[in-house]
Amino acid sequence: MYKEPLGVKVDFETGIIPGAKKSVRRLSDMKGYFLDEKAWEEMVKNGDPVVYEVYAVEQEEKEGDLNFATTVLYPGKVGKEFFFTKGHFHAKKDRAEIYIALKGKGGMLLQTPEGEARWIPMEPGTVVYVPPYWAHRTVNTGNEPFIFLAIYPADAGHDYGTIAEKGFSKVVIEEDGEVKVVDNPRW
Ligand code: S6P
Ligand code: ZN
């Protein structure tokens, strides 16, 4: 009747959680996500790099329980756009989430269902509260892996559809050697 408590040591250097379920997202898994489609195609042809890996410790989708997962988001750009995670709303839209940055440099784009966006810069030690209803995507703006831990309700689920179709209203690019958060020209 009681579940067994669990303690695991997360490797802050690699993001690896022993015993966790690993998933890998390559650039080819992100067709249509980046603005510069030619650059995307070239990069997919020339090695199809891993954009991010997730190590997740997940429970049954039940109210009250919690999941946790690390993400290792690699450095890179497609055209001017920094590598990012796909981004999602939670399937149960009112489920919140906490992120803790462990290594590297980046940030989070958040967006309401109406398309109002926010950018929160993240570095090791930054804790981000993702309120209910906000879609969220992380972006690596540095030149080493950006690693963070996410803690989220076990019944939150993922809704990728809306973001896959429309993206975020802001994009994070490098211009004149600077990180800029600008309006998405496709929005
Ligand atoms: C889950 C949490 C993270 C992401 C991971 C990959 O709610 O927000 O563990 O799943 O960072 O991003 P995405 O958008 O591909 O799920
Ligand atoms: Zn989430």
Side-chain angles (χ1 to χ4, degrees):
M1 113 164 230
Y2 295 114
K3 292 172 88 169
E4 196 55 31
L6 166 74
V8 285
K9 188 168 159 54
V10 176
D11 186 332
F12 282 18
E13 289 304 306
T14 62
I16 292 171
I17 307 177
K21 190 183 104 203
K22 180 182 180 183
S23 30
V24 178
R25 293 276 173 269
R26 290 186 175 272
L27 201 54
S28 57
D29 299 317
M30 300 179 77
K31 187 175 169 59
Y33 275 84
F34 292 90
L35 286 174
D36 190 336
E37 281 168 7
K38 280 213 173 107
W40 176 83
E41 224 174 283
E42 275 306 302
M43 289 175 73
V44 167
K45 267 189 216 151
N46 297 321
D48 190 14
V50 171
V51 181
Y52 58 102
E53 292 155 344
V54 179
Y55 297 89
V57 177
E58 293 188 327
Q59 309 298 327
E60 270 177 84
E61 287 195 18
K62 282 194 180 149
E63 192 174 346
D65 214 342
L66 292 171
N67 292 338
F68 62 95
T70 50
T71 301
V72 181
L73 177 54
Y74 288 96
K77 275 182 297 174
V78 178
K80 291 179 175 180
E81 239 178 324
F82 290 105
F83 276 10
F84 52 67
T85 56
K86 287 185 168 184
H88 57 269
F89 286 96
H90 288 147
K92 285 208 166 81
K93 294 195 184 307
D94 64 352
R95 297 307 194 250
E97 184 163 1
I98 295 287
Y99 276 62
I100 304 162
L102 305 176
K103 194 173 201 272
K105 187 177 152 233
M108 188 188 290
L109 271 177
L110 296 101
Q111 179 163 301
T112 65
E114 289 76 30
E116 192 173 322
R118 298 280 187 279
W119 168 249
I120 299 189
M122 293 168 73
E123 59 179 22
T126 305
V127 177
V128 180
Y129 164 59
V130 181
Y133 301 104
W134 287 78
H136 39 288
R137 159 183 288 169
T138 43
V139 184
N140 186 341
T141 56
N143 40 34
E144 62 173 330
F146 173 40
I147 304 175
F148 53 86
L149 176 72
I151 303 161
Y152 49 104
D155 65 346
H158 294 89
D159 168 10
Y160 291 101
T162 319
I163 298 297
E165 266 172 46
K166 296 193 70 184
F168 281 73
S169 61
K170 301 276 181 193
V171 291
V172 187
I173 60 167
E174 186 171 61
E175 209 170 49
D176 309 321
E178 274 177 51
V179 177
K180 293 185 181 171
V181 182
V182 299
D183 287 342
N184 180 355
R186 272 206 218 143
W187 183 262

